[in-house]
Amino acid sequence: MSTIPNGDPNIKPNTIVEGWIYDTGYRGTLDILYGCLVVLVAAVWTVVHLNVPSQNDSDWRIFWRRLRWSLVSITAPDFLTLVAAAQWDCAQRSVKEMAKLPGAAEKWTLVHAFYANSGGFVLEAPDYNGPDGRFPISAESVHYLVSRGYMPLPSITKEEIWDKSKADVFAKGLALLQSAWIFMMAIARTAQGLPLTPIELFTLAFVISTVMSYFFWWRKPQNVGTPTKLWCETTMARVRADAGYSDDQPYEDTPMDFVEKPSRYWKRRDMFVDFDLESGRRKMESTVVELPRWDNASNTNDRISFSSQQPPSPAPSKTPSNFQTVVTWTQTPIKRIPDDAIMAVRLPTKMVGFLMIPSMIHCSIHLAGWNHHFPTETEKILWRIAVIILTVMSSVSVGAVRLLGIKGYKGRYNLLWVWVNGNADPRTKGIWDIVLSWSTFMLILARFYLIVEVCISLRKLPAEVFYDVDWVNWIPHI
């Protein structure tokens, strides 16, 4: 049984109600919107766990970064869960590797690993010190430096790290309670034969992915403002030389790239390489100096020095002049670890299967609206098409990326178009890059249509949508 509203004679069983409905004795349009928006906003704002910002980042820049990832969580919640799972898996492996070192098992926890991989530790060395020299290092680099005796294990405790974190456990708990409430409401309405609105279906589907992200990020410090400084007595030049790299060999992000980069399977497309990172970290300086005249063209390159991964400019042409341009490339390391630095790299099969469960539930909830009443027949057809695309393309994309990685495919392919595999052979045709790019485009188009439809469908709904659940008869009581 349900509570049939008596406040509005227009709301009768088996009728279609148009326009804004006020809550005069039953739930109205505002009640539906408020209930869903509170859950969505609370979940979005508390689920995103960004890496430690650079000391040069302004509050405005940090806000926009958080807003971007919040939009990602709305438009691609499964992808956010995948990122969280990859970071959790990487932190777990760090704990296992560090436990092999004498006396490190008790001092290096999952919290430490998360903290390191989010840029919580910044390294200073004799040749890299001060605000411009220090740079963030991941858990892999900490293990490398500690295991080879370059520096001691960080002494900061789990409690001290958590004290730096501004993770609001109360806010997360409240978001989870609100999510549990909307689930209970949905179950109760289904049991009493009352329909749900499309926006309620969308909220339910989103909550599924959010709960999974909460699970993987529960031990990751959140909103840390200031990193912990570590000191290495050995110069980075010596560390790199011991590993077989000369000091003048370029690096992309930090001097520890030779440790961190090999494990990072995905990289950004070239157009996004420096996005949201310090501008000008690769600089070219040129000066005009007076030089003796020469006749041997082979001496030209002796007047040019390079210190960067950027390809050098062509050598200046030999002219009978006493002046020559000297070009010097300088480089400074990045100041924060990007939030997308750690992406899924051949996750364990069990974890992939575990991640597929919420993804299928997510799609199934949208499929539950297959026969829902929509304002027009066209909107119903478009909803069905969008849900089919969401279900099929998600499975195809995940399956294709997984299979290509296992088979060691050397052609270029991508993850949500922005990220491409780092082992791609430029000589091969990137047919899978094109296929997966179209798949991503279709997924984004379908997702945006669903977001638009759940909002505009409120203009015309079945009358039963506004009936309240009869909690007294539904919940067992004495």
Side-chain angles (χ1 to χ4, degrees):
M1 293 295 294
S2 59
T3 303
I4 300 177
N6 297 315
D8 192 333
N10 294 321
I11 302 182
K12 299 177 181 179
N14 302 317
T15 60
I16 301 300
V17 181
E18 297 186 33
W20 188 273
I21 302 300
Y22 296 92
D23 53 344
T24 55
Y26 46 90
R27 73 174 193 160
T29 306
L30 182 61
D31 296 315
I32 297 171
L33 273 174
Y34 178 79
C36 293
L37 290 178
V38 166
V39 173
L40 289 172
V41 172
V44 166
W45 204 249
T46 57
V47 74
V48 176
H49 287 59
L50 299 182
N51 289 349
V52 180
S54 163
Q55 296 304 291
N56 299 325
D57 285 344
S58 63
D59 292 340
W60 188 247
R61 187 173 188 176
I62 294 172
F63 170 79
W64 279 110
R65 182 181 297 144
R66 189 179 187 87
L67 182 61
R68 283 197 304 270
W69 279 94
S70 297
L71 292 176
V72 169
S73 70
I74 286 286
T75 56
D78 292 342
F79 172 72
L80 191 73
T81 303
L82 185 65
V83 172
Q87 293 182 5
W88 180 85
D89 181 64
C90 188
Q92 290 281 0
R93 286 187 279 111
S94 172
V95 172
K96 292 178 181 178
E97 288 298 317
M98 201 69 79
K100 299 175 183 178
L101 302 181
E106 299 79 14
K107 299 179 181 179
W108 189 262
T109 65
L110 197 63
V111 174
H112 287 85
F114 266 126
Y115 185 62
N117 287 332
S118 64
F121 292 122
V122 291
L123 187 69
E124 288 189 336
D127 51 347
Y128 281 88
N129 55 58
D132 293 332
R134 69 176 71 109
F135 57 90
I137 57 174
S138 69
E140 284 180 302
S141 291
V142 173
H143 179 272
Y144 182 90
L145 295 171
V146 172
S147 63
R148 286 160 177 76
Y150 292 119
M151 73 175 194
L153 189 72
S155 59
I156 188 171
T157 65
K158 177 177 67 175
E159 290 74 21
E160 289 172 333
I161 293 176
W162 211 247
D163 187 60
K164 293 168 69 69
S165 170
K166 300 178 182 64
D168 194 335
V169 178
F170 175 77
K172 288 183 179 179
L174 185 60
L176 289 174
L177 283 176
Q178 290 170 332
S179 300
W181 162 253
I182 198 168
F183 261 102
M184 188 168 63
M185 180 272 296
I187 294 172
R189 292 187 68 83
T190 302
Q192 296 188 12
L194 299 176
L196 294 168
T197 61
I199 194 171
E200 288 171 320
L201 291 176
F202 178 86
T203 305
L204 286 170
F206 175 77
V207 164
I208 289 291
S209 298
T210 301
V211 170
M212 292 299 298
S213 298
Y214 272 133
F215 170 78
F216 289 117
W217 271 337
W218 194 258
R219 290 295 180 183
K220 181 179 180 179
Q222 189 178 30
N223 300 333
V224 176
T226 306
T228 302
K229 297 178 185 178
L230 302 179
W231 175 255
C232 179
E233 294 287 351
T234 309
T235 63
M236 285 295 101
R238 179 73 265 169
V239 172
R240 286 168 59 84
D242 291 346
Y245 296 86
S246 61
D247 188 39
D248 59 351
Q249 277 185 280
Y251 56 80
E252 185 175 349
D253 291 334
T254 75
M256 296 300 294
D257 277 355
F258 70 96
V259 175
E260 300 176 3
K261 288 296 183 181
S263 64
R264 296 180 183 177
Y265 187 77
W266 298 99
K267 66 176 185 178
R268 297 178 183 179
R269 287 186 187 272
D270 293 341
M271 67 179 69
F272 301 116
V273 168
D274 288 329
F275 179 75
D276 199 27
L277 294 174
E278 293 79 1
S279 59
R281 60 192 177 105
R282 305 178 184 92
K283 298 179 180 179
M284 181 184 72
E285 298 177 356
S286 60
T287 56
V288 178
V289 298
E290 185 175 3
L291 299 173
R293 293 184 62 180
W294 60 84
D295 297 322
N296 188 355
S298 63
N299 291 335
T300 302
N301 290 334
D302 295 337
R303 302 288 185 249
I304 308 170
S305 60
F306 298 97
S307 178
S308 172
Q309 75 277 22
Q310 295 286 352
S313 301
S317 60
K318 176 66 63 177
T319 59
S321 172
N322 289 352
F323 295 92
Q324 187 66 30
T325 301
V326 177
V327 182
T328 303
W329 286 89
T330 60
Q331 183 177 27
T332 57
I334 60 174
K335 302 306 177 187
R336 68 180 295 270
I337 295 179
D339 298 285
D340 59 350
I342 298 176
M343 306 285 282
V345 184
R346 298 186 183 180
L347 293 174
T349 304
K350 290 183 179 179
M351 178 176 285
V352 174
F354 183 59
L355 290 173
M356 289 300 294
I357 295 174
S359 179
M360 296 308 296
I361 295 175
H362 180 95
C363 295
S364 298
I365 291 175
H366 284 103
L367 284 170
W370 188 269
N371 292 318
H372 189 277
H373 174 83
F374 287 89
T376 65
E377 189 65 23
T378 301
E379 289 176 59
K380 176 185 285 189
I381 294 173
L382 289 175
W383 175 277
R384 292 177 175 180
I385 294 173
V387 171
I388 290 174
I389 291 174
L390 197 66
T391 305
V392 175
M393 291 299 183
S394 295
S395 301
V396 169
S397 297
V398 172
V401 169
R402 177 74 175 175
L403 186 61
L404 291 171
I406 292 175
K407 296 297 183 180
Y409 178 68
K410 297 301 182 181
R412 169 173 283 193
Y413 57 99
N414 66 76
L415 188 64
L416 283 185
W417 191 76
V418 177
W419 298 272
V420 296
N421 54 316
N423 67 338
D425 186 343
R427 296 171 298 178
T428 60
K429 295 181 179 179
I431 183 65
W432 277 105
D433 189 24
I434 298 174
V435 171
L436 291 172
S437 295
W438 272 104
S439 174
T440 298
F441 174 75
M442 296 297 291
L443 280 170
I444 292 175
L445 196 63
R447 180 73 66 179
F448 271 107
Y449 174 76
L450 293 177
I451 292 173
V452 171
E453 182 58 38
V454 298
C455 297
I456 65 176
S457 63
L458 290 170
R459 72 186 190 276
K460 195 173 182 181
L461 294 167
E464 289 81 4
V465 161
F466 301 100
Y467 292 2
D468 287 317
V469 173
D470 189 351
W471 294 103
V472 175
N473 290 325
W474 188 69
I475 300 177
H477 61 283
I478 299 177

